[in-house]
Amino acid sequence: MFLMRRSRCVVLKSRPNPNVDLGNFEMENRNLRPMEQGEFLVKVEYLSIDPAIRTWINTAASYTDAVPIGGVVRSQGLGRVLESKNDKYSVGDIIVGWFGWQEYSISNGQDVYRVKEGKFPISYNLGILGLAGFSAWWGLNKIGMPKEGETVLVSSAAGSVGSAAGQLFKRLGCKVVGTVGSQEKADLCLSKYQYDVVINYKNTDAPIDEKIKQACPNGIDVYFDNVGGVTLDAVMKNINTFGRVILCGTISLPITAAPPQGPRVERTLLIKRAKMEGFVILDHMDWYEHAYSEMFEWVNNGSLVSKEDIFVGLEKAAEGLVRLLAGQNLGKQLIKI
Amino acid sequence: MFLMRRSRCVVLKSRPNPNVDLGNFEMENRNLRPMEQGEFLVKVEYLSIDPAIRTWINTAASYTDAVPIGGVVRSQGLGRVLESKNDKYSVGDIIVGWFGWQEYSISNGQDVYRVKEGKFPISYNLGILGLAGFSAWWGLNKIGMPKEGETVLVSSAAGSVGSAAGQLFKRLGCKVVGTVGSQEKADLCLSKYQYDVVINYKNTDAPIDEKIKQACPNGIDVYFDNVGGVTLDAVMKNINTFGRVILCGTISLPITAAPPQGPRVERTLLIKRAKMEGFVILDHMDWYEHAYSEMFEWVNNGSLVSKEDIFVGLEKAAEGLVRLLAGQNLGKQLIKI
């Protein structure tokens, strides 16, 4: 006898116009469809709240299809297998996958993976050991290629990607400078994430490019960019010969059909023989296991640290996203269901 | 007895303000200093007139020191050794080096090289087999990395770098589209350089981005950029996922202390996982011999072709440069002394 299971979920009600707000979402209670052979049922325990969700719920040019109106909001989650008709996944397995903003999710095993338990909260698999940490690892190793002694700037330095990037650069012997939007985040970067210098861009005592110049008297060799916009402009004024700009996020820019105006970069990139390259981590999952095994050790031995900012309750998901986009979180934003 | 030799030269009289004009230069007749041990005297036969000279005579941020007021204008040249106190170079050797806009030059052998004679004019060593051809080769191989069947756009497609790049891309099986500023250049690209489609950007019947879209219905995989500015903007509207933008020149932009405004590229580069990278060929002379030997064969067997636009007389050097910057040349601009 099949018992119909109900699952609470958060669906997209309307698109951001232009900003994401609580009214774009609504809670629903939906029947779960029956599981088929090869599938398994996951009880979702944590949701990862990421800046990228802003992109996924917009229809403007992107790297993936937009979440449809009425669709469950796309999101990575971590959960346990509750029932299984799949040989590879057993009841009790802890897995990460694209479960969306809902209590239960049915998966056929595509794009999910089992996680290892260690001396850290299991939810780290959605942050420092998830796509955030992996983004930092990939951007640094495959685009930034920092050398010991180089000066590196990381924007959104206290964020889930930035805080991982900062520590990974430091581990390689770079001088690491961060930009953040609050004193609290600056303190966190200095006390916990090993940044050498942190700039709070909201302190308007001096223009950001002058602050960066002061913090990076030898110029910037690598910039791990999570924000784009005026911070990137300021970096370009201070970029060194053979500099590398890793484009991981553009959270400071609105999502618009036509790009906003800003200072042209082509001549600076030419004169400085510099590079600017964007990446989307989902293209590089073939490197995930390699990166995971490296970072697992460091997280487990306490040399790579993380902070989480956890809201409790699925009904808090939208609020978590709005808060993240406003930069009000402190640490990796998660929802515990 | 040392016979004092006089050499006519063109010196920088004033800096461009903002455009290069004939008044920025003047002819002089100077005494040549005595040669020292290890040096040799070159009778300069050809001068290479390059867009980069615009950069070298400006003081705005660049990759090299500006030519001082009163200094001989910096330029590559080709000449023959007339007298030698250097074991490696003998009277009659044909060499290329940074001889400047002058009839005679004394060299200690630094940054000069001997050229091979082939079934082509010796002056090709300042163009298709000189830094222009080498720039095309390096940008294509080291940044663009085109694959067979990809769509490539080349700006300044009939220029000394562009015409080489277009042919090298075609040789690899790419679809090659060029942009030029006259019908005459368009015809040359189609009849001689194997371009598949050529866009004359001065025909204003449709915006450049629409013309590019029409010429590149599958989008652009690689852009070999010699101009920057609005052509680059139009490319960014049509760039493909994992696209590569090779920044080789920015001749459409003024040389200013602060960059002019334009559409921001960071979000497009991110969404498209694309790369934009500048290079200055002088950084890569370690690859020159390799590239030269490859291209020498192709030029010698007629599968890589070139056109020259030669002015006669050192006194024509400034006019050659002004003409080049106005896009009025047709082929590699040279001065024959």
Side-chain angles (χ1 to χ4, degrees):
Chain A
M1 192 196 85
F2 177 75
L3 184 70
M4 184 71 82
R5 199 185 286 273
R6 304 275 284 175
S7 177
R8 288 197 308 152
C9 56
V10 182
V11 301
L12 188 64
K13 192 175 150 194
S14 59
R15 303 213 178 269
N17 182 26
N19 294 325
V20 177
D21 63 44
L22 297 180
N24 297 135
F25 306 93
E26 75 188 336
M27 295 284 300
E28 285 194 11
N29 213 337
R30 292 186 175 177
N31 289 333
L32 230 66
R33 66 171 172 81
M35 265 199 305
E36 288 172 17
Q37 201 53 43
E39 293 187 329
F40 53 91
L41 177 70
V42 178
K43 165 85 181 70
V44 184
E45 297 186 1
Y46 288 95
L47 296 175
S48 174
I49 306 297
D50 294 293
I53 296 176
R54 178 182 78 136
T55 300
W56 303 334
I57 61 177
N58 262 290
T59 51
S62 175
Y63 51 86
T64 180
D65 292 338
V67 174
I69 297 295
V72 173
V73 176
R74 187 179 301 150
S75 167
Q76 270 218 330
L78 179 144
R80 275 171 221 262
V81 176
L82 210 60
E83 294 171 23
S84 180
K85 292 184 178 179
N86 182 307
D87 292 346
K88 294 193 191 142
Y89 293 91
S90 312
V91 173
D93 281 358
I94 305 173
I95 58 175
V96 165
W98 294 95
F99 303 138
W101 285 5
Q102 53 190 348
E103 290 176 311
Y104 297 94
S105 181
I106 290 171
S107 169
N108 62 6
Q110 208 194 328
D111 294 333
V112 310
Y113 51 89
R114 212 179 272 103
V115 301
K116 266 166 82 177
E117 293 190 73
K119 298 179 219 153
F120 49 80
I122 195 72
S123 51
Y124 273 29
N125 286 289
L126 290 179
I128 186 80
L129 289 174
L131 293 185
F134 181 38
S135 295
W137 186 95
W138 199 90
L140 175 151
N141 282 294
K142 300 298 175 181
I143 301 178
M145 296 172 283
K147 298 184 200 77
E148 192 180 338
E150 286 192 319
T151 300
V152 172
L153 191 85
V154 178
S155 56
S156 208
S160 58
V161 175
S163 61
Q167 292 175 80
L168 294 179
F169 280 117
K170 197 68 205 168
R171 180 176 282 273
L172 294 172
C174 297
K175 171 175 173 173
V176 189
V177 179
T179 64
V180 296
S182 76
Q183 190 54 48
E184 204 180 6
K185 289 177 181 171
D187 293 344
L188 187 65
C189 285
L190 292 169
S191 65
K192 201 169 160 81
Y193 302 137
Q194 306 175 55
Y195 281 85
D196 294 295
V197 185
V198 181
I199 297 165
N200 178 355
Y201 70 86
K202 287 190 179 160
N203 278 349
T204 52
D205 51 317
I208 179 87
D209 54 306
E210 281 179 27
K211 289 186 190 196
I212 287 176
K213 189 171 190 164
Q214 198 171 9
C216 308
N218 298 322
I220 295 168
D221 299 298
V222 182
Y223 174 40
F224 197 111
D225 191 6
N226 294 303
V227 302
V230 295
T231 307
L232 175 56
D233 302 341
V235 168
M236 290 306 286
K237 286 190 184 180
N238 292 282
I239 194 87
N240 281 342
T241 301
F242 304 117
R244 290 85 76 196
V245 176
I246 306 159
L247 297 173
C248 178
T250 58
I251 198 66
S252 80
L253 295 183
I255 294 185
T256 46
Q261 299 276 304
R264 288 185 171 280
V265 297
E266 60 264 42
R267 191 158 173 82
T268 307
L269 289 174
L270 174 61
I271 290 170
K272 298 295 184 177
R273 300 89 121 179
K275 174 174 81 165
M276 194 178 266
E277 184 169 352
F279 77 102
V280 169
I281 197 61
L282 304 178
D283 293 323
H284 307 293
M285 295 310 289
D286 51 328
W287 278 96
Y288 184 73
E289 214 172 294
H290 181 98
Y292 188 88
S293 68
E294 235 181 67
M295 294 199 290
F296 182 92
E297 281 311 304
W298 300 335
V299 172
N300 222 24
N301 71 23
S303 64
L304 179 61
V305 303
S306 179
K307 181 172 163 53
E308 300 180 319
D309 192 334
I310 305 179
F311 270 20
V312 179
L314 180 62
E315 65 282 1
K316 291 281 207 174
E319 191 183 330
L321 178 61
V322 170
R323 188 168 174 258
L324 174 78
L325 295 176
Q328 288 161 355
N329 61 310
L330 195 68
K332 169 67 193 170
Q333 183 72 59
L334 296 170
I335 303 296
K336 183 171 172 30
I337 302 184
Chain B
M1 192 196 86
F2 177 75
L3 183 70
M4 183 72 81
R5 200 183 284 273
R6 301 277 285 174
S7 177
R8 288 196 310 153
C9 56
V10 182
V11 301
L12 187 65
K13 191 175 150 194
S14 59
R15 303 211 178 271
N17 182 26
N19 294 325
V20 177
D21 63 44
L22 297 180
N24 297 136
F25 306 94
E26 74 188 339
M27 296 285 298
E28 285 194 9
N29 214 336
R30 292 186 176 179
N31 289 333
L32 230 64
R33 65 172 175 80
M35 266 200 304
E36 289 174 17
Q37 201 54 41
E39 293 186 329
F40 53 92
L41 177 70
V42 178
K43 165 87 180 69
V44 183
E45 297 186 2
Y46 288 95
L47 296 175
S48 175
I49 306 297
D50 294 292
I53 297 175
R54 177 183 78 136
T55 301
W56 303 334
I57 62 177
N58 262 289
T59 51
S62 175
Y63 51 86
T64 180
D65 292 339
V67 174
I69 297 294
V72 173
V73 177
R74 187 180 302 152
S75 167
Q76 269 218 329
L78 178 144
R80 276 171 219 261
V81 176
L82 210 61
E83 294 172 22
S84 181
K85 292 185 179 180
N86 181 307
D87 293 344
K88 294 192 190 140
Y89 293 90
S90 312
V91 172
D93 282 357
I94 305 174
I95 58 175
V96 165
W98 294 94
F99 303 139
W101 286 3
Q102 54 191 347
E103 291 176 309
Y104 296 94
S105 180
I106 291 170
S107 169
N108 61 6
Q110 208 194 328
D111 296 333
V112 310
Y113 51 89
R114 213 180 271 103
V115 301
K116 265 164 82 177
E117 292 190 74
K119 299 178 219 151
F120 49 80
I122 195 72
S123 49
Y124 273 29
N125 286 290
L126 291 180
I128 186 78
L129 289 174
L131 292 186
F134 181 38
S135 294
W137 186 95
W138 199 91
L140 176 152
N141 282 295
K142 300 299 176 182
I143 301 178
M145 295 173 282
K147 297 183 200 76
E148 192 179 340
E150 286 192 320
T151 300
V152 171
L153 191 85
V154 178
S155 56
S156 207
S160 57
V161 175
S163 61
Q167 293 176 79
L168 294 179
F169 280 117
K170 196 68 204 167
R171 179 176 282 272
L172 293 172
C174 297
K175 171 176 172 171
V176 188
V177 179
T179 64
V180 295
S182 75
Q183 190 54 47
E184 204 180 7
K185 288 177 183 172
D187 294 342
L188 187 65
C189 285
L190 291 169
S191 65
K192 201 170 159 82
Y193 302 138
Q194 306 174 55
Y195 281 85
D196 294 294
V197 186
V198 180
I199 297 164
N200 177 356
Y201 71 87
K202 286 190 180 160
N203 278 350
T204 53
D205 51 320
I208 180 88
D209 53 308
E210 282 178 26
K211 289 186 191 197
I212 288 177
K213 187 172 191 164
Q214 199 172 7
C216 308
N218 298 322
I220 295 167
D221 298 300
V222 182
Y223 175 40
F224 197 111
D225 191 5
N226 293 304
V227 302
V230 295
T231 307
L232 175 57
D233 301 342
V235 168
M236 291 307 286
K237 286 190 183 181
N238 292 282
I239 193 89
N240 282 340
T241 302
F242 304 118
R244 290 85 75 197
V245 175
I246 306 158
L247 298 172
C248 178
T250 58
I251 197 68
S252 80
L253 296 184
I255 294 184
T256 47
Q261 298 276 305
R264 289 186 170 278
V265 296
E266 60 263 42
R267 190 157 175 82
T268 307
L269 289 174
L270 174 61
I271 289 170
K272 298 294 186 178
R273 299 87 121 180
K275 174 174 82 166
M276 193 177 266
E277 184 167 352
F279 76 101
V280 169
I281 197 61
L282 303 178
D283 293 323
H284 307 292
M285 295 310 289
D286 50 330
W287 278 96
Y288 184 75
E289 213 172 295
H290 180 98
Y292 188 88
S293 68
E294 236 179 67
M295 295 199 291
F296 181 92
E297 280 311 302
W298 301 335
V299 172
N300 222 25
N301 70 23
S303 64
L304 179 61
V305 303
S306 178
K307 180 172 163 53
E308 300 180 318
D309 191 334
I310 305 179
F311 270 21
V312 179
L314 178 63
E315 64 282 3
K316 291 279 206 176
E319 193 183 331
L321 178 62
V322 169
R323 187 166 175 261
L324 175 78
L325 295 176
Q328 289 161 354
N329 60 311
L330 194 67
K332 170 67 194 172
Q333 183 73 60
L334 296 169
I335 303 296
K336 183 170 172 30
I337 302 185

